[in-house]
């Protein structure tokens, strides 16, 4: 066998191994366009699709425009992750935008953004002619939020496959709100120890012939507040005021994370981002469209406090579908109105918070018949949990370098019997535990993590 043949066979074997290892998520089931809290809006030019990996959980939201549109953007905060931002910042007066993708997975999720562009080409909607005028080349913009770390126990991320599924299943006039799409595993308020569940939101208004739509995925270090300054969602300590305001939280830093405000499990989840899209049908010049992006993003700190910290990678896209050539509303007034629509979208992003079941008697259940539940449960390569039957009942311990929510990796954690055959772990942020056939489920429901019994 000559050297050329040997080299070819080695390359083929290597390519086969790379191919086998490169797509570990290909068998994950995809959930398409889920959700019952839906904003329905009348704008045929805009279609929205969501796709999620329940095993994450993580997901992607694709906002698709039926005709190429004008776009500008405003980038703030200390850790943005975007595709094609430098090109957009050049401010060309060209209708080039096809879609915007809002995705989890941090920088890994950028694969979903480029996947939307390749789907546009593969489906024959766009082609490879970058010099045609008007443009026939696909332009997909997008930004990511961080949804790893303490938010979940695995590193599944939105990939090309998921982005293309969301794009290909986009439908006009429908936006699922709450923990869906790119907002599936987002949180807010970690700066203060709130760790509230978050999501994605939308709002739509019409002012005569002018339409304004706002879409956002909120994963902010700060808290969401209503128009009276009240915090909308926070896992608050009992000692905190009932009518909690953002001022209460901010004026008590850093003490809020110390003993006099209770144990806030203080280390903030220092990877956060709010990504937003504001759309109007009024034609705007590149300068006015850029100013719209800046003005609307400058209004968001009313709704999220604080905003654009060093640990937030906030990005806002401003889009004009250019369906109205005549100026119906001045650029300044349009920015004011759009800021109010965006505040509504942010408020609509907050899902119903998890309900913690009540303990039965404040003690661990001591029943020898539960011994079959003991063993190790694997959640991912990063996290496993061991269940043992101790002196007072079931106890848990995370194996490896990471805790599993409130299950410590340093010592055994008692499971307290609760309603509905569930258990809770008494902590600043309680963890709910349930057993299914061969499975250990942490925080059953929308944000659950499922571990498979291995022994």
């Amino acid at each position: 066998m000559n050297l050329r043949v040997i080299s070819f066979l080695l390359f083929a074997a290597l390519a086969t191994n790379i191919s086998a290892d490169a797509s570990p998520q290909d068998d994950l089931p995809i959930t398409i366009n889920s959700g019952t809290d839906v904003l329905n809006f009348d704008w045929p030019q805009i279609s929205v699709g969501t796709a999620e990996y329940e095993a994450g959980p993580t997901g992607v939201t694709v906002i698709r425009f039926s005709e190429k549109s004008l776009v500008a953007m405003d980038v703030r905060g200390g850790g943005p992750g975007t595709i094609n931002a430098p090109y957009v910042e050049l401010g060309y007066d060209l209708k080039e935008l096809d879609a915007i993708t809002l995705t989890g997975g941090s920088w890994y999720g950028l694969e979903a953004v480029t996947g939307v562009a390749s789907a546009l080409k593969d489906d024959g909607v766009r082609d490879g002619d970058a010099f045609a005028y008007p443009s026939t080349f696909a332009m997909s913009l997008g930004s990511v939020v961080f949804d790893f770390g303490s938010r979940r126990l695995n590193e599944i991320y939105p990939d090309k496959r998921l982005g293309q599924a969301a794009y290909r299943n986009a439908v006009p006039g429908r936006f699922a709100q709450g923990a869906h799409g790119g907002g599936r595993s987002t949180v807010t308020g970690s700066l203060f120890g709130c760790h509230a569940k978050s999501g994605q939101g939308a709002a739509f208004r019409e002012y005569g012939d002018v339409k304004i739509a706002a879409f956002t995925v909120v994963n902010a270090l700060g808290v969401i507040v209503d128009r009276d300054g009240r915090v909308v969602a926070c896992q608050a300590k009992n000692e905190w005021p009932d009518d909690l305001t953002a001022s209460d939280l901010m004026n008590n830093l850093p003490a809020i994370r110390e003993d006099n405000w209770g144990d806030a499990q203080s280390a903030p989840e220092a990877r956060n981002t709010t990504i937003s899209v504001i759309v109007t049908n009024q034609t705007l010049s590149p300068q006015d469209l850029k100013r719209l992006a800046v003005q609307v993003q400058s209004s968001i700190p009313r709704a999220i406090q604080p905003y654009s910290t060093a640990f937030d990678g906030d990005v806002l896209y401003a889009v004009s579908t250019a369906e109205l050539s005549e100026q119906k509303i001045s650029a300044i007034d349009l920015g004011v109105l759009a800021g109010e629509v965006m505040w509504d979208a942010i408020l609509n992003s907050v899902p119903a918070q998890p309900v913690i079941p009540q303990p039965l008697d404040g003690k661990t259940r001591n029943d020898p018949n539960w011994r079959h539940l003991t063993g190790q449960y694997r959640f991912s390569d990063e996290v496993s949990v061991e269940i043992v039957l101790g002196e007072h009942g079931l106890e848990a311990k995370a194996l490896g370098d990471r805790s599993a929510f409130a299950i410590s990796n340093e010592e055994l954690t008692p499971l307290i019997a609760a309603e509905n055959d569930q258990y809770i772990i008494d902590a600043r942020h309680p963890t709910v535990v349930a057993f299914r056939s061969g499975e250990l489920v942490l925080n059953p429901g929308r944000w659950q993590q499922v571990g498979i019994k291995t022994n």
Side-chain angles (χ1 to χ4, degrees):
M1 187 177 294
N2 63 38
L3 182 60
R4 178 176 296 179
V5 173
I6 293 174
S7 299
F8 174 79
L9 291 175
L10 288 173
F11 176 81
L14 179 60
T16 300
N17 288 334
I18 291 173
S19 177
D21 294 339
S23 304
Q25 301 186 160
D26 278 355
D27 294 330
L28 292 177
I30 297 176
T31 300
I32 299 294
N33 293 341
S34 64
T36 56
D37 180 11
V38 174
L39 173 75
N40 294 298
F41 59 96
D42 181 18
W43 201 337
Q45 188 87 344
I46 304 173
S47 297
V48 180
T50 63
E52 300 160 22
Y53 286 140
E54 299 290 341
T58 189
V60 60
T61 300
V62 174
I63 301 166
R64 178 179 174 181
F65 301 94
S66 61
E67 301 291 338
K68 281 189 172 289
S69 299
L70 300 164
V71 64
M73 64 190 300
D74 184 44
V75 181
R76 305 192 186 183
T82 66
I83 288 288
N84 288 334
Y87 180 78
V88 174
E89 290 289 358
L90 294 175
Y92 291 118
D93 189 11
L94 298 172
K95 292 183 180 180
E96 296 187 281
L97 177 68
D98 288 299
I100 296 176
T101 302
L102 314 178
T103 176
S106 191
W107 287 338
Y108 303 116
L110 291 175
E111 178 184 324
V113 183
T114 58
V116 171
S118 58
L120 281 157
K121 181 182 181 302
D122 294 344
D123 293 356
V125 178
R126 300 292 175 232
D127 58 31
D129 188 351
F131 299 100
Y133 186 82
S135 174
T136 58
F137 201 82
M139 176 190 269
S140 171
L141 304 180
S143 296
V144 299
V145 299
F146 181 90
D147 60 1
F148 295 124
S150 65
R151 293 167 176 83
R152 50 193 176 94
L153 306 179
N154 60 71
E155 294 183 351
I156 295 169
Y157 64 94
D159 51 18
K160 173 181 177 179
R161 174 174 175 256
L162 203 65
Q164 292 187 343
Y167 157 78
R168 288 177 172 138
N169 288 278
V171 295
R174 181 188 188 278
F175 190 98
Q177 303 185 121
H180 298 283
R184 183 62 194 272
S185 284
T186 54
V187 296
T188 59
S190 295
L191 178 64
F192 310 106
C194 287
H195 302 310
K197 299 298 185 184
S198 189
Q200 64 178 17
F204 173 72
R205 295 191 194 179
E206 293 182 88
Y207 302 90
D209 294 332
V210 176
K211 296 181 178 182
I212 301 174
F215 310 103
T216 185
V217 170
V218 184
N219 193 46
L221 190 64
V223 290
I224 295 176
V225 298
D226 64 18
R227 286 179 169 84
D228 295 318
R230 292 187 295 266
V231 176
V232 175
C234 176
Q235 293 189 44
K237 289 288 288 183
N238 293 331
E239 298 86 350
W240 294 8
D242 292 334
D243 196 14
L244 189 66
T245 68
S247 293
D248 292 328
L249 297 173
M250 291 190 289
N251 287 326
N252 280 281
L253 280 175
I256 196 171
R257 297 196 295 266
E258 298 173 355
D259 289 342
N260 57 333
W261 264 62
D263 172 22
Q265 195 170 304
S266 60
E269 182 65 70
R271 296 288 186 275
N272 303 270
T273 290
T274 298
I275 45 180
S276 307
V277 181
I278 195 78
V279 190
T280 180
N281 61 343
Q282 182 167 294
T283 301
L284 296 172
S285 68
Q287 297 91 329
D288 285 343
L289 195 57
K290 174 66 176 182
R291 184 49 47 188
L292 178 64
V294 171
Q295 187 172 343
V296 174
Q297 181 139 234
S298 297
S299 77
I300 291 179
R302 300 178 301 160
I304 300 174
Q305 300 183 24
Y307 184 69
S308 290
T309 72
F311 296 137
D312 287 287
D314 303 324
V315 178
L316 186 139
Y317 298 92
V319 178
S320 168
T321 59
E323 296 166 86
L324 292 179
S325 57
E326 180 183 352
Q327 184 183 72
K328 301 287 186 175
I329 300 177
S330 72
I332 293 177
D333 289 351
L334 186 66
V336 172
L337 297 172
E340 289 300 304
V341 181
M342 183 58 70
W343 197 340
D344 286 342
I346 291 168
L347 293 173
N348 290 337
S349 71
V350 182
Q353 299 298 296
V355 176
I356 306 300
Q358 292 298 308
L360 294 181
D361 53 13
K363 299 179 180 179
T364 56
R365 181 180 281 125
N366 187 6
D367 185 340
N369 293 327
W370 289 84
R371 188 173 296 278
H372 70 282
L373 300 177
T374 62
Q376 292 186 9
Y377 296 81
R378 180 185 180 278
F379 289 86
S380 66
D381 291 341
E382 294 77 35
V383 181
S384 291
V385 170
E386 184 173 22
I387 302 294
V388 300
L389 190 59
E391 182 179 354
H392 300 291
L394 293 174
E395 299 178 321
K397 183 178 181 180
L399 306 178
D401 297 331
R402 288 181 55 185
S403 296
F405 304 132
I407 300 175
S408 172
N409 65 336
E410 297 179 353
E411 58 187 5
L412 288 169
T413 303
L415 305 186
I416 299 173
E419 301 170 321
N420 304 320
D421 289 329
Q422 295 180 323
Y423 298 82
I424 61 172
I425 296 170
D426 187 19
R428 165 70 174 88
H429 303 284
T431 296
V432 181
V433 179
F435 293 92
R436 299 173 186 163
S437 178
E439 295 179 344
L440 174 64
V441 183
L442 303 183
N443 299 326
R446 193 71 189 143
W447 299 275
Q448 70 184 17
Q449 301 284 273
V450 179
I452 306 300
K453 191 172 186 180
T454 58
N455 67 13

